[in-house]
Amino acid sequence: MDARFLGIGELGGSPAVAVVVDVMRAFTVAAWAFGQGAEKVVLAESLDEALALKARHPDWVALKDGPPAVGFDAVNSPGLLRSVDLGGRTVVQKTTAGTVGALAVKEASLVLCASFVVAEATARLLRARGCDSVTFVVTGEGGRADEDLACGQYIARRSAGVRTDAAEFLRRAAESRAAAELAEGVRQGVHPDDVALCLELDRFPFAMVAALEESLLVLRPCTVPSLVTGQQRTDGRTCPPRTE
């Protein structure tokens, strides 16, 4: 597989297949939202859009980076979100890097959002789709975030069917600037368990597929049993068709 690793600002248009990586914490949080029963996650372009969507749909759950804020129900923390019952709910997510990266490639034929907690499922979906060329969008620190790069490199190796020890990739993430900032309280809206939860390899059995739905970029979980294409999502809906 031909894998490219680019920052958001380095993208020259939408690639055919994109894996948008945000380990700490957007796409760890999104995975936890699905783990807590959410039906879908809407990736908002701005805080104002997130609040407008919440106003139109009061039953939706809006979350953002940073400290709690008026109009938002939650913050972008897996440690805090894991105690919230989201059964059947829609989550609106706006973050500094992850959601921005996904929206930058929203026209791609296949967009996956990833972190370590869904790494193997993401690799399995790429293999099932026969993706020969994949762009990994490293969302943090202008494309230099080592936790995102390490996760993308690990998924790329697993997508190619290479036996890979995850320990070194997880170590890089644990020693990253983002991990230090979370552990030291530099960032707000943080739970003490956030770093450990972001480093929990393959915590969830699904990949996360983003697609445009009535002008909104919507993220949904998708399970992919091995050797079979066109599998069902965790909510019973079919995954996107094979990318040729």
Side-chain angles (χ1 to χ4, degrees):
M1 183 183 72
D2 177 25
R4 297 193 306 159
F5 302 89
L6 301 176
I8 297 170
E10 299 171 319
L11 294 166
S14 291
V17 178
V19 177
V20 187
V21 186
D22 190 326
V23 172
M24 297 185 187
R25 296 164 285 172
F27 298 138
T28 299
V29 167
W32 269 98
F34 293 128
Q36 293 301 103
E39 178 186 357
K40 62 185 178 183
V41 175
V42 176
L43 305 178
E45 293 193 7
S46 65
L47 295 176
D48 286 343
E49 183 187 36
L51 289 173
L53 288 168
K54 171 70 176 179
R56 292 201 297 271
H57 307 277
D59 58 325
W60 288 12
V61 177
L63 66 84
K64 59 177 280 295
D65 277 336
V70 175
F72 287 88
D73 306 288
V75 296
N76 192 47
S77 161
L80 295 172
L81 197 67
R82 64 181 169 175
S83 62
V84 179
D85 180 5
L86 296 172
R89 307 283 295 277
T90 293
V91 173
V92 180
Q93 185 181 38
K94 170 66 180 84
T95 69
T96 305
T99 58
V100 176
L103 286 159
V105 293
K106 64 183 180 181
E107 302 295 338
S109 299
L110 177 64
V111 180
L112 306 181
C113 295
S115 61
F116 280 112
V117 298
V118 293
E120 185 60 30
T122 303
R124 190 162 59 244
L125 180 54
L126 290 171
R127 290 198 302 271
R129 294 294 176 271
C131 300
D132 295 325
S133 179
V134 179
T135 296
F136 290 85
V137 183
V138 180
T139 60
E141 298 179 34
R144 297 183 299 276
D146 201 35
E147 73 281 3
D148 295 339
L149 181 58
C151 183
Q153 290 171 337
Y154 175 74
I155 293 171
R157 289 178 64 85
R158 293 298 301 129
S159 300
V162 179
R163 285 179 174 265
T164 306
D165 185 351
E168 175 62 18
F169 299 92
L170 291 168
R171 180 196 64 76
R172 287 167 53 191
E175 295 177 357
S176 67
R177 176 179 174 181
E181 290 181 349
L182 290 173
E184 295 166 7
V186 174
R187 302 186 186 187
Q188 295 181 293
V190 178
H191 187 279
D193 293 340
D194 277 357
V195 172
L197 291 172
C198 290
L199 299 176
E200 195 172 8
L201 185 68
D202 301 330
R203 173 65 177 78
F204 299 104
F206 50 78
M208 298 188 294
V209 181
L212 289 169
E213 299 182 17
E214 298 181 355
S215 79
L216 295 176
L217 188 61
V218 176
L219 192 61
R220 294 182 184 272
C222 171
T223 55
V224 185
S226 60
L227 303 180
V228 183
T229 59
Q231 299 299 329
Q232 291 186 326
R233 297 177 188 268
T234 54
D235 63 0
R237 302 187 185 192
T238 56
C239 290
R242 181 185 178 92
T243 300
E244 300 297 343

